[in-house]
Amino acid sequence: MKRPAPRTARLAAALISAVAAAVLTMCTVLFLRSYRSAIVESARTNSAQAVSQVVGAVGNYVNTMDSVVAIVMDRLDDEEEARDAFLSAFLTARPEVAAITAYDENGVLQDCWAQDGRTPKDDILRNLSFDLSTARRLGHGYISTPHVESVFEGYYPWVVSVIRVVPQTDETAPKRWLSVDLSFKELAAAISNVGIGRHGYCYLMDERGNMVYHPQQQLLYAGLKKEEAGRLACLGDGTYVEDTVIYSVQRVPNSPWRVVGVSYIDETVNESFWQMVQIAVATAILILLAALAVGWVLSRSLSRPLRQLETAMAQFEQNADSFTFQSVRGTREVQNLSDSFGHMVGRIQQLMTTVREEEVVLRKTELKALQAQINPHFLYNTLDSIAWMCERGKNADAVQMVHALARLFRISISRGHELIPIEKELQHAEAYLQIQKYRYKNQFTYHFTVDESCLHCLCNKITLQPIIENAIVHGLDLMVDAGHIEITVKPDGDDILLIVADDGIGMEPEQVAALLQNEPSDRTGIGVKNVNDRLRIYFGPGYGLSIVSAPYEGTTVTIRTPRVPEDREVDYDKTH
């Protein structure tokens, strides 16, 4: 256990921490209040600047309208041929002018000039470019809201109409009206492209609060969104901060329109404010921690040598193998204790090395002992079968059986290596199956299904033979009909599965459990349990055998071994 700091040091640390916390809290609150005011003012400025940008664009548009109307007015009373030629050339040079129309005092269309020489429809159901009642009511003319061109067939641009009275030299002459339709698409795009924050926007309204253009007009028409245009129309130009919204209103010079900018405090103010709150709190915590550290300096300086020795003991307890002890300096008593601990560490590490070397030797001995348990009865019976074949004159069969036995023992020896390629292990298993087929007079068949990518990986030698022997002796030998053994080798992630399946008499669950627990008898040779033990000793508890069996349905033994490339044999000493 760590020694507690002196009481005086604890009181000093608590006092310093309390004072620091109070000062930091007061400074943080004052700073955040000033910061919020600053970012609100910055948001107001940004909103006003965005609206000014839109006002400039709309003002340019209005100036364009006025200049176009003035040019057309000057040439409207020229000779018809000269006038028509000029207006056609004018429309070609000014593609933003969709159409120019002239009306008599009763609102009847008299003349029309349009892009590409278009002519008006014979029957205009509703002329959105000119409203006689509005023109008479206002007297001098008006500017319409954006609308679709309705005078022509198959030509429907989005336009704004400027209606003006045509000046007359004779005051008794009938009043005439001029309507100029200008494309609104570019201005709408300019308004829509101006954003304030992530979700803020600008829209255009008239002096009465009627909506002229809104980037979300479809939502307004559907009733899914509402604007405070009527209330804002009563306010003068300026920026207004409300609970959650900042409104900025500016009038467009020489027009009845006003631009309204809408921005949201949550994204323009609150997000930045809360980010600063997090930074301020984190800074305050760091300063408070620094104050705590200063408060504990005295306690740490007095107990530092003992704490160093205590830390060294804890490190040695967690990782004794690679621990290197550095002598702790301090009083004479602490120095003596440090020297004694250093001698103890050296002695324990020496003993651990000795025990580890003895364990490695013991495990190697266990592996060799397990591999050496070759069934003497199998060798005796095989030689007896060869002798019987020779006596009966079946010399060819005897020769093949001798070759199979030679391959079996040659691969079993494998120059003293514990790991051999799976290809060699399969050859060993096939040699064993050939011998057993002669002994059992073809009472079973067998087949190999092997993924070629596994052939050059390594596995423990004599792994398949005991499993196949168990399948023949306990699964197929008691059957009346011929049996079949299927050997499969396939990859499974970073592992390889060697599967031996037979269609023999199968086993009860109790027999399956006993198969992995009992020591090998003289009849089962190296034994299924020994195969499982060798795999676990060599590779760890995650590898070994699993058996699935049911009476009269057969048995499947799955051997899981890691994928070890042939050019990288596992170093047993380093692994264990």
Side-chain angles (χ1 to χ4, degrees):
M1 294 179 61
K2 293 184 177 181
R3 295 177 59 189
R7 183 177 180 182
T8 302
R10 293 202 303 270
L11 291 176
L15 181 60
I16 294 174
S17 301
V19 173
V23 173
L24 285 173
T25 301
M26 182 176 63
C27 292
T28 301
V29 171
L30 293 175
F31 168 74
L32 292 176
R33 289 182 62 183
S34 300
Y35 180 76
R36 180 176 174 82
S37 299
I39 59 176
V40 168
E41 187 60 31
S42 176
R44 288 166 57 96
T45 302
N46 292 337
S47 178
Q49 290 175 348
V51 171
S52 296
Q53 179 182 347
V54 176
V55 168
V58 178
N60 292 334
Y61 184 80
V62 172
N63 293 335
T64 300
M65 290 192 300
D66 292 339
S67 65
V68 169
V69 171
I71 293 172
V72 174
M73 285 287 191
D74 289 341
R75 306 302 294 268
L76 195 61
D77 292 328
D78 290 354
E79 292 294 331
E80 181 176 353
E81 184 177 352
R83 179 194 63 186
D84 292 344
F86 172 79
L87 292 179
S88 296
F90 180 75
L91 289 171
T92 302
R94 302 292 292 269
E96 71 273 13
V97 180
I100 302 171
T101 53
Y103 302 87
D104 63 13
E105 63 178 347
N106 296 319
V108 178
L109 180 62
Q110 298 295 314
D111 294 299
C112 178
W113 302 270
Q115 292 287 343
D116 300 327
R118 291 182 175 84
T119 58
K121 295 185 290 186
D122 295 333
D123 185 14
I124 303 174
L125 296 178
R126 184 183 179 188
N127 190 348
L128 301 178
S129 298
F130 178 74
D131 182 62
L132 181 60
S133 60
T134 303
R136 286 176 173 175
R137 178 171 54 84
L138 297 177
H140 59 278
Y142 66 94
I143 300 176
S144 72
T145 58
H147 62 85
V148 174
E149 183 65 78
S150 61
V151 176
F152 305 98
E153 188 74 41
Y155 181 55
Y156 308 109
W158 199 20
V159 297
V160 169
S161 299
V162 182
I163 294 87
R164 293 287 185 268
V165 176
V166 178
Q168 301 288 346
T169 57
D170 186 1
E171 296 182 358
T172 61
K175 184 178 291 188
R176 291 187 301 163
W177 303 93
L178 176 66
S179 175
V180 179
D181 295 343
L182 283 87
S183 173
F184 191 72
K185 180 174 66 175
E186 291 77 10
L187 180 60
I191 297 175
S192 298
N193 290 336
V194 174
I196 309 174
R198 288 199 304 270
H199 300 95
Y201 54 88
C202 294
Y203 65 85
L204 196 62
M205 68 176 184
D206 63 16
E207 295 174 334
R208 297 183 178 183
N210 298 317
M211 196 64 62
V212 175
Y213 172 74
H214 195 291
Q216 302 173 11
Q217 287 191 157
Q218 293 182 348
L219 297 179
L220 293 177
Y221 294 153
L224 301 177
K225 184 178 182 63
K226 293 183 179 180
E227 292 290 355
E228 300 287 338
R231 181 172 63 86
L232 295 175
C234 300
L235 301 176
D237 290 358
T239 303
Y240 306 92
V241 180
E242 300 187 357
D243 291 339
T244 59
V245 184
I246 298 176
Y247 293 106
S248 186
V249 184
Q250 290 187 33
R251 183 181 302 276
V252 179
N254 303 320
S255 77
W257 293 340
R258 303 180 75 185
V259 176
V260 179
V262 181
S263 58
Y264 298 97
I265 291 180
D266 282 344
E267 63 183 37
T268 58
V269 176
N270 289 349
E271 288 186 5
S272 178
F273 176 74
W274 285 113
Q275 289 177 358
M276 183 55 65
V277 168
Q278 294 175 358
I279 295 174
V281 170
T283 304
I285 291 175
L286 290 176
I287 296 175
L288 183 60
L289 291 176
L292 286 172
V294 171
W296 285 98
V297 166
L298 180 60
S299 175
R300 290 175 61 87
S301 61
L302 294 176
S303 59
R304 183 176 181 181
L306 291 177
R307 290 183 184 278
Q308 289 179 345
L309 188 58
E310 180 184 16
T311 301
M313 292 179 179
Q315 292 175 349
F316 176 69
E317 182 180 359
Q318 293 175 359
N319 188 8
D321 290 335
S322 59
F323 177 76
T324 301
F325 179 65
Q326 299 292 335
S327 179
V328 177
R329 296 184 177 275
T331 61
R332 186 176 62 181
E333 292 78 6
V334 173
Q335 190 81 36
N336 292 338
L337 183 60
S338 174
D339 293 340
S340 298
F341 178 68
H343 291 308
M344 182 188 69
V345 167
R347 180 58 179 163
I348 290 177
Q349 289 178 335
Q350 182 180 3
L351 291 174
M352 290 175 65
T353 301
T354 302
V355 170
R356 190 179 297 108
E357 292 174 352
E358 291 176 352
E359 287 180 350
V360 170
V361 173
L362 178 61
R363 288 183 178 179
K364 285 185 176 181
T365 304
E366 289 177 354
L367 284 174
K368 292 181 180 179
L370 292 174
Q371 295 167 6
Q373 295 180 13
I374 302 298
N375 188 347
H377 278 231
F378 165 73
L379 180 60
Y380 169 78
N381 291 334
T382 302
L383 294 175
D384 185 61
S385 297
I386 294 172
W388 177 82
M389 288 179 181
C390 292
E391 291 174 357
R392 294 297 181 94
K394 297 182 178 182
N395 296 333
D397 292 342
V399 169
Q400 291 184 7
M401 200 168 181
V402 168
H403 284 321
L405 185 62
R407 288 199 306 273
L408 186 74
F409 279 95
R410 183 173 65 252
I411 297 174
S412 299
I413 297 171
S414 66
R415 298 180 181 177
H417 295 296
E418 165 60 20
L419 297 183
I420 63 173
I422 291 179
E423 183 179 14
K424 296 293 185 183
E425 179 64 18
L426 294 174
Q427 294 175 2
H428 181 271
E430 187 171 15
Y432 177 78
L433 285 166
Q434 290 175 354
I435 294 172
Q436 293 293 55
K437 283 197 70 173
Y438 283 114
R439 287 188 56 203
Y440 285 90
K441 300 179 181 180
N442 296 321
Q443 291 183 3
F444 65 90
T445 59
Y446 62 87
H447 179 261
F448 288 87
T449 301
V450 181
D451 189 310
E452 294 186 358
S453 65
C454 302
L455 290 176
H456 298 290
C457 295
L458 302 177
C459 69
N460 293 86
K461 64 183 178 182
I462 318 180
T463 296
L464 289 172
Q465 181 267 327
I467 310 303
I468 297 173
E469 178 182 5
N470 184 76
I472 295 174
V473 174
H474 297 286
L476 305 179
D477 191 23
L478 302 179
M479 293 177 60
V480 176
D481 299 327
H484 179 75
I485 298 176
E486 182 72 25
I487 298 97
T488 303
V489 180
K490 62 180 182 179
D492 183 31
D494 294 333
D495 299 335
I496 294 178
L497 301 181
L498 296 85
I499 304 172
V500 179
D502 67 72
D503 57 357
I505 61 173
M507 294 181 288
E508 297 288 348
E510 296 79 8
Q511 294 175 288
V512 173
L515 195 62
L516 294 175
Q517 295 176 0
N518 297 333
E519 294 295 332
S521 64
D522 188 46
R523 181 166 173 75
T524 58
I526 196 170
V528 174
K529 180 179 183 299
N530 281 352
V531 172
N532 190 51
D533 291 344
R534 287 167 57 213
L535 287 168
R536 289 175 177 270
I537 289 174
Y538 206 90
F539 296 115
Y543 299 94
L545 307 184
S546 61
I547 303 175
V548 177
S549 183
Y552 308 107
E553 294 184 7
T555 302
T556 299
V557 180
T558 302
I559 305 167
R560 180 176 292 276
T561 183
R563 179 187 288 269
V564 181
E566 190 173 359
D567 58 352
R568 187 172 60 84
E569 182 172 358
V570 173
D571 187 342
Y572 180 77
D573 292 337
K574 293 182 179 179
T575 306
H576 299 272

